[in-house]
């Protein structure tokens, strides 16, 4: 047994150590064999008590347990492997070869393998040979494998071999020289950083810590070198650049759609691995780079957000949304490691940078470092200082960028708040001070003139920050917790509210817009429920004192312009707070006096009830136990004046507009309260307490702001803007508080009434003298503002009722003044005069609520027309003042319309209102800009859309005239029809433009009249091309059709639909505005066609022929079917999608699917013949069944109903009796002539017009059957191929019958007296046989027969027109 073992050890194993022509598997087994042999030998040595000896790359068991008998075979294999790699095409080894080579080196060591190496000169030491091996063979292998990820395992073996090579070198210097040379070549070859980091990890994981030359042989002494230092600095710079790229392009997020992003991500990953390897914070031992490199890294990664430009609101700070900042992540990890050598300052820098960038790195590492005890205080001070500096920095001009920057600021403020409260909960009380939003002086500066951008930035920062906090209680705690004792909460609150007033481009008074920011902020703090009434009262007092102090400064310094912004903002805040505290004062109309106290009365006064009042209805007015129902007053009926009665509707129980749920009642069944007053004492006490607060508020405003400052002498001696603000204060006092105190001498009510009457008297006296100076204008403006107009406060319609003031004198003087034509002509222009006209409009808009006589309304409309002519024609430019004048004018017209509509003796059919609408239409088409967006929001709050400021008031006027009298719109809008067609393609104008065009289309008469109509240039050119291949007669007929179309259709519409055949390509990227514009234009075209057909049924054929020639129908149906929903037979909302009163038109615009569905419906309805031809020839097969079902279930029933309605209302049927049924779908006409009855029945199929109608002649009464058949054929031809209506067909049949009785011979071609298309008599007579023919019939006969011969006598045609 021993012999066998010895043989196996000494001879068996060496015999298999041959690699000639060995495959990869054999090489792998040889490597494993060497490893097992070495392990066995070491185990044997250990068992016998021998210690292994390390020599070079070799671990020898001992000199008593030798393995030298395998050395020759190993060396031979080593040389063969080297020779293979050097002679191969790529110059590298395969993985199995590399593994065997590593095993051989481990087994034999370089001393034996390179001993007596014939490739080197004799006397060359082993160190030089090892160096040459590293720099030639090993370096080639490393660089060659770098570019292929599949060689990563082989690359690890290469680095392990390199480790053995370095270990074989005797001195540290030699090791460093070889390492640095290898590293330089790798950098030069642009090796992957990940592979460089792999090499560093392998070299440092097993390198010997002792060296033979006394240098210590430590890892840092070998690997650390200047080349690695330089590489580390470059990698740090590159990592920061890659992060900045992602931060600027994707906000720190990686995108899967970009090859550039994939490349950047790969670079970041490799750089991260390299940096972490150099720092070695996850391993024991020192760094592989010097602290100087770490400092440079810190400087590089923190440099971007340390420059002064970051403190300006013109650059978005770098943010790390997905943790892509590899360098910062590695540095933070190193700073948190126990082996970190960073200073406190450097750690603070890193934590600040992570705080600025946020993201996962901050959450996992940055916050942990910043919260460490040794740097927390310094970090908190530095981050707080950074936030405060940004707040006071200059603001940029890009609003979108400012919003992003403010959001970024709030995120950093939120991160600081979270960190501080995590360290110590008590820090939440100083959060606002920490982030700089507690500075009252800063908030004051936001309200100064010219600081609108700063105010917007503060608003955005505050709101974004508060939105991050969940719960109103926590928000209030944070907002108020930081207040210092010398600054009471009300002071900061007031100045925050003042700064948040929105003053950006307000052209029309809009209190809701001005306080929109305040309202959002207030709601975030809990709204009314989040603040006590006492606190709101205190804030009101603070605002009043703030305004009073500013007014005093203005009087002392005589400078109002510098403080005007503060005053206007302050009065808006005061009105807002008073609204929260008291709401709108609505009690006056339904209250009674009860001694010295006022209690709410249960009964209401009929004369004080207005539309919109919310009251309580009781069936039995005498029963106190009767259940009461909440109702809304829909209409006040005055036709039995003074006995008023009312239409009411249950509030909340019915849908608005549901007349079935409405009822009529009288005043004694309407109550002011839900329940009968059971305890009048408690009610009186409650009312008394509320009235006491109101009275205190009234006195506060009057005493500190108004009294003596609106007297006429003061009015003439103080700035006009200041007087306007004082007048707004009166509006707040009246509308919010109701002047509930005593009305005697010296009371608030008395003082306010005295001010108002004095202002009106001054205005009346001035007008009587013909004085319309600035003083008169200011007094009238103050009067309007105080009585509810509200330039800077919420408007009110109740001030006249509350104050019990009637403006009859001023209204009468104004009416008299504007009746003077000479005065009006002399004062129609000029700055002073226009200002007066503008103010008169404002006053009328307020005072009109007190007028009840129809005659006065008619005079007011004349005044408005006169002022509109002066004001809008003079300022007809596109300036801000022009738009403001137009808005004031429309507001006044709208207010007058609403009130006049309730007057029983007023009608809107007068010339003044027609001129007003004409003027407004002119402004709409040519002056108002589509992009004048001042933030007026239309629609529900969740999806509100910003619209131009002119849109809502113009639509209100338009709606009124559509409901009351369309003639006022039609009068002047015809002149602008071409412009209106063009506006169908303009987003914010297409809704109104379509409504006006619809009115024009419904108007009676042609759009263009005259013997010769000038066709559009484009139409003339196309007409010439259309006639090119037509016969003379056919070309003449086409010209007539185009002339008819041009007399009824807007020429811009004609040019548009003619161009579709040339440029209307159906691409997916068609703009929505283009799609909607073309769909609307087509509907308008069909509306005009319907009106033309009503005027003369021959017009339908002419316009249909023109449309067929343009090819527009095929194009528009193809476009519409891309968006239409024709397979839903239950939804019918699309039928009214263009209606003015359709509630679905949220934001005054159209929804493409509904418009497209309506286009399909109307096209089938109006152009049935052309649609049938399209359906059979051009409709895609995939849509044919859907279109057929849509026609059968949606179009055909409605079309038949409309036809029957038209027949019932027709006036030209004479003695003909017509009856029809929507169930049987049959229409029967009976003609009575000399007691004879002729009948015809038209059977309409369910899918008409896709299927032809049938005609059944029931009673012929002696008429030849052939003649009847031809009449039936004529009806079918009109309905099936001439786009005629049932009424048109019946009227044509009646005319044929009439002519039959007159003895006129029918045309021998069509066997009809009247031509099917032109309804003309036979007008061509053959000179041979003297038979007469229709022109079109004879031409078709010639064309079909191919001969120019008479139909009957067959002689060459030589007839003449008669």
């Amino acid at each position: 047994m021993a012999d066998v073992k010895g043989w196996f050890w000494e001879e068996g194993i060496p015999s298999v150590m041959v690699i000639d022509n060995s495959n990869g598997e054999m090489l792998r087994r040889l490597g494993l064999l060497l490893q097992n042999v070495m392990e066995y030998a070491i185990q044997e040595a250990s068992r016998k008590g021998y210690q292994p000896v390390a020599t070079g790359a070799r671990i020898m068991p001992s000199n008593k347990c030798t393995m030298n008998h395998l050395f020759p075979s190993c060396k031979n294999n080593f040389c063969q492997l080297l020779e293979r790699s050097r002679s191969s095409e790529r110059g590298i080894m395969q993985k199995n070869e590399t593994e065997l080579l590593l095993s051989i080196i481990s087994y034999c060591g370089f001393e034996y393998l390179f001993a007596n190496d014939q490739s080197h000169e004799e006397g060359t030491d082993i160190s030089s040979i090892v160096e040459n091996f590293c720099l030639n063979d090993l370096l080639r292998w490393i660089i060659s494998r770098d570019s292929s990820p599949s060689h990563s395992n082989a690359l690890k073996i290469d680095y392990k071999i390199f480790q053995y090579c370095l270990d074989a070198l005797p001195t540290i210097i030699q090791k460093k020289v070889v390492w640095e040379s290898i590293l330089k070549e790798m950098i030069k070859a642009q090796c992957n950083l990940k592979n460089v980091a792999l090499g560093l990890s392998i070299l440092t994981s097993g390198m010997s810590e002792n060296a033979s030359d006394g240098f210590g042989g430590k890892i840092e002494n070998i690997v650390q070198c200047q080349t690695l230092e330089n590489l580390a600095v470059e990698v740090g710079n590159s990592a920061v650049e890659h992060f900045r790229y992602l931060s600027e392009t994707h906000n720190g997020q990686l995108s899967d759609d970009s090859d550039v992003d994939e490349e950047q991500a790969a670079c970041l990953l490799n750089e991260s691995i390299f940096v972490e390897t150099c720092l070695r914070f996850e391993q024991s031992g020192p760094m592989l780079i010097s602290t100087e490199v770490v400092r440079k890294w810190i400087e590089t990664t923190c440099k971007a957000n340390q420059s002064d430009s970051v403190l300006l609101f013109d650059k978005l700070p770098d943010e790390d949304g997905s943790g892509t900042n590899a360098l910062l992540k590695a540095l933070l990890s190193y700073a948190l490691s126990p082996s970190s050598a960073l200073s406190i300052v450097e750690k603070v820098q890193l934590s600040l940078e992570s705080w600025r960038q946020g993201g996962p790195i901050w959450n996992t590492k940055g916050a942990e470092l910043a919260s460490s005890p040794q740097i927390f205080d310094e970090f908190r001070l530095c981050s707080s200082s950074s936030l405060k500096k940004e707040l006071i920095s200059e603001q940029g001009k890009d609003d979108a960028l400012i919003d992003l920057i403010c959001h970024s600021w709030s995120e950093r403020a939120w991160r600081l708040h979270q960190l501080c409260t995590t360290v110590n909960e008590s820090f939440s009380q100083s959060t606002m001070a920490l982030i700089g939003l507690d500075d009252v002086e800063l908030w004051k500066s936001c309200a100064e003139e010219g600081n609108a951008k700063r105010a917007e930035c503060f608003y955005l920062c505050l709101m974004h920050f508060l939105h991050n906090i969940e719960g109103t209680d926590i928000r209030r705690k944070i907002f108020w917790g930081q207040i210092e004792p010398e600054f009471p909460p009300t002071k900061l609150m007031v100045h925050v509210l003042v700064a948040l007033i929105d003053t950006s481009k307000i052209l029309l008074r809009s209190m809701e817009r001005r306080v929109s920011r305040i309202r959002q902020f207030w709601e975030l703090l809990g709204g009314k429920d989040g603040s006590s009434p006492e606190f709101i009262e205190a804030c009101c007092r603070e605002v009043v004192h703030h305004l009073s102090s500013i007014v005093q400064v203005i009087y002392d310094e005589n400078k109002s312009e510098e403080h005007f912004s503060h005053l206007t903002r302050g009065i808006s805040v005061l009105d807002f707070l008073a609204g929260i505290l008291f709401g709108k004062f609505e009690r006056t109309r339904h209250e009674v006096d009860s001694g010295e106290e006022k209690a709410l009365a249960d009964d209401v006064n009929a004369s004080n009830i207005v539309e919109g009042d919310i009251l309580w209805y009781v069936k039995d007015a005498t029963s106190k136990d009767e259940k009461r129902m909440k109702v809304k007053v829909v209409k006040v009926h005055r036709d039995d004046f003074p006995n008023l009665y009312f239409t009411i509707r249950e509030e909340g129980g019915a849908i608005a507009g549901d007349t079935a749920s409405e009822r009529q009642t009288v005043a004694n069944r309407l109550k002011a309260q839900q329940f009968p007053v059971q305890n009048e004492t408690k009610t009186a006490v409650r009312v008394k307490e509320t009235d006491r607060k109101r009275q205190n508020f009234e006195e506060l405003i009057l005493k500190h702001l108004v009294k003596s400052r609106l007297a006429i002498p003061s009015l003439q001696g103080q700035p006009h803007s200041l007087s306007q603000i004082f007048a707004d204060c009166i509006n707040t006092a009246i509308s919010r508080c109701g002047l509930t105190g005593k009305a005697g001498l010296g009371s608030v009510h008395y003082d306010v009434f005295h001010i108002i009457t004095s202002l009106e008297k001054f205005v009346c006296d001035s007008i009587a003298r013909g004085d319309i100076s600035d003083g008169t204008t200011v007094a009238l403006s103050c009067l309007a503002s105080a009585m509810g107009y509200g330039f800077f406060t919420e408007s009110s319609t109740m001030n006249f009722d509350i104050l019990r003031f009637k403006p009859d004198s001023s209204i009468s003087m104004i009416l008299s003044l504007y009746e003077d034509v000479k005065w009006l002509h002399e004062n129609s222009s000029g700055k002073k005069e226009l200002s007066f006209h503008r103010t008169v409009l404002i006053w009328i808009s307020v005072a009109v609520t007190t007028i009840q006589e129809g005659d006065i309304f008619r005079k007011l409309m004349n005044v408005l027309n006169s002022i509109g002519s002066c004001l809008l024609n003079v300022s007809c430019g596109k300036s801000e003042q022009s738009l403001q004048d137009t808005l004031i004018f429309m507001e006044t017209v709208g207010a007058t319309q609403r009130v006049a509509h309730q007057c029983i003796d007023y009608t809107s059919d007068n010339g003044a209102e027609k001129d007003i609408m004409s003027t407004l239409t002119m402004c709409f088409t040519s002056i108002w800009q589509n992009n004048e967006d001042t933030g007026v929001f239309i629609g529900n709050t969740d999806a509100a859309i910003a619209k131009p400021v002119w849109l809502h008031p113009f639509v209100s006027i338009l709606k009124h005239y559509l409901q009351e009298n369309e003639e006022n719109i039609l009068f002047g809008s015809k002149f602008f029809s071409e412009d209106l067609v063009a506006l169908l393609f303009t987003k914010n104008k297409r809704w109104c433009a379509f409504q006006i065009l619809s009115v024009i289309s419904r108007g009676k008469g042609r759009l263009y009249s005259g013997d010769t109509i000038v066709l559009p240039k484009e139409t003339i050119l196309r007409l010439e091309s259309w006639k090119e291949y037509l016969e003379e007669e056919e070309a003449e007929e086409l010209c007539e059709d185009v002339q008819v179309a041009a007399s009824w259709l807007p020429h811009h519409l004609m040019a548009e639909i003619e161009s579709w055949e040339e440029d209307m390509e159906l691409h997916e990227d068609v703009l929505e505005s283009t799609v909607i514009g073309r769909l609307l234009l087509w509907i308008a075209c069909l509306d005009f066609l319907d009106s033309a057909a009503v005027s003369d049924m021959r017009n339908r054929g002419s316009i249909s022929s023109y449309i067929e020639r343009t090819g527009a129908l095929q194009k528009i149906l193809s476009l519409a079917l891309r968006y239409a929903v024709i397979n839903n037979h239950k939804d019918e909302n699309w039928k009214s999608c263009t209606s003015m009163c359709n509630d679905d038109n949220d934001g005054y615009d159209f929804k493409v699917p509904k418009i497209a569905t309506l286009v399909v419906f109307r096209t089938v309805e109006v152009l049935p013949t052309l649609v049938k031809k399209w359906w059979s020839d051009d409709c895609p097969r995939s849509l044919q069944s859907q279109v057929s079902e849509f026609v059968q279930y949606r179009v055909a029933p409605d079309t038949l109903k409309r036809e029957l309605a038209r027949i019932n209302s027709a006036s030209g049927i004479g003695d003909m009796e017509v009856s029809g049924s929507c169930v049987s779908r049959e229409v029967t006409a009976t003609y009575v002539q000399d007691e004879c009855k002729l009948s015809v029945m038209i059977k309409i199929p369910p899918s008409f017009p896709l299927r032809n109608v049938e005609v059944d002649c029931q009673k012929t009464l002696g008429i030849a059957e052939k003649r009847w058949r031809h009449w039936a054929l004529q009806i079918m031809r009109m309905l099936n191929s001439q786009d005629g209506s049932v009424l048109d067909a019946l009227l044509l049949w009646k005319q044929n019958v009439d002519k039959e009785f007159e003895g006129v011979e029918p045309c021998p071609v069509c066997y009809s007296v009247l031509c099917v298309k032109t309804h003309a008599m036979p007008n061509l007579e053959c000179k041979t046989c003297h038979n007469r023919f229709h022109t079109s019939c004879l031409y078709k006969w010639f064309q079909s027969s191919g001969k120019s011969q008479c139909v009957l006598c067959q002689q060459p045609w030589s007839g003449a027109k008669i």
Side-chain angles (χ1 to χ4, degrees), residues 488-538:
T490 55
K491 190 167 187 178
L492 177 64
M493 173 59 93
V494 165
H495 287 287
V496 169
L497 295 180
V498 169
L500 295 186
I501 289 293
D502 189 357
T503 60
S504 58
K505 198 178 180 182
I506 301 298
L507 298 178
L508 188 63
R509 60 189 178 107
S510 176
M511 181 62 179
E512 187 58 34
R513 170 63 192 266
R514 287 178 65 82
V515 301
S516 59
R517 293 176 178 175
I518 292 181
R519 197 175 300 283
Q520 295 173 23
F521 167 68
W522 194 267
E523 291 300 323
L524 279 180
L525 294 183
K528 184 177 181 180
D529 297 333
S531 302
S532 64
E534 291 74 20
F535 172 73
I536 301 176
E537 285 186 73

Side-chain angles (χ1 to χ4, degrees), residues 161-210:
I161 294 173
F162 183 46
Q163 182 189 31
Y164 287 163
C165 291
L166 293 180
D167 210 24
L169 296 175
T171 66
I172 296 295
I173 294 177
Q174 288 177 313
K175 295 177 181 181
K176 294 193 67 168
V177 169
V178 173
W179 158 242
E180 192 162 7
S181 299
I182 293 287
L183 183 60
K184 286 181 179 178
E185 292 300 323
M186 291 174 66
I187 295 173
K188 185 177 180 180
Q190 298 181 348
C191 287
N192 196 314
L193 285 176
K194 180 180 179 181
N195 294 333
V196 175
L198 176 64
L200 288 172
S201 299
I202 293 175
L203 292 177
T204 57
S205 64
M207 187 178 290
S208 172
E209 294 187 1
N210 298 311

Side-chain angles (χ1 to χ4, degrees), residues 551-552 554-555 558-561 567 705-727 755 759 774-775 778-779 782:
V551 171
Q552 191 59 48
I554 292 175
Y555 279 119
N558 197 23
K559 295 179 180 180
S560 62
E561 293 80 6
L567 288 174
L705 296 177
V706 178
K707 197 171 183 179
S708 76
R709 289 171 178 162
L710 275 182
I712 298 305
S714 300
L715 198 66
Q716 295 174 333
Q718 65 188 7
H720 298 166
S721 57
L722 202 59
S723 303
Q724 192 67 67
I725 291 171
F726 296 150
I755 291 172
L759 287 173
D774 291 339
V778 171
C782 291

Side-chain angles (χ1 to χ4, degrees), residues 1037 1098 1274 1277-1278 1292 1295-1296 1307 1310 1312-1322 1334-1337 1340:
E1037 184 179 352
R1098 290 174 296 181
Q1274 192 176 36
R1277 187 181 302 167
M1278 170 167 280
L1292 180 60
Q1295 292 179 20
N1296 275 327
C1307 171
C1310 65
S1312 299
V1313 174
L1314 301 177
C1315 179
V1316 174
K1317 181 177 179 181
T1318 63
H1319 308 297
M1321 299 284 286
H1334 294 130
T1335 302
S1336 59
C1337 295
K1340 289 181 181 179

Side-chain angles (χ1 to χ4, degrees), residues 404-431:
L404 292 175
I405 293 175
C406 291
H407 183 269
S408 174
W409 182 95
S410 68
E411 290 296 317
R412 280 175 275 129
W414 173 243
R415 290 195 284 269
L416 178 59
H417 164 74
Q418 281 186 312
L419 179 70
C420 292
T421 52
T422 301
V423 173
N424 190 337
E425 181 65 27
S426 62
F427 277 116
S428 63
Q429 299 179 2
S430 59
T431 296

Side-chain angles (χ1 to χ4, degrees), residues 108-152:
C108 300
F110 286 111
E111 293 178 357
Y112 177 78
L113 294 174
F114 288 138
N116 301 320
D117 189 347
Q118 296 180 0
S119 63
H120 294 81
E121 296 179 1
E122 186 177 352
T124 305
D125 60 359
I126 298 299
S127 300
S128 299
I129 297 175
V130 172
E131 288 182 17
N132 290 333
F133 171 74
C134 291
L135 296 175
N136 293 316
D137 297 303
L138 191 58
L139 179 61
R140 183 178 68 253
W141 300 344
I142 292 174
I143 293 176
S144 298
R145 300 188 205 276
D146 178 79
S147 59
S148 177
S150 62
H151 291 162
S152 58

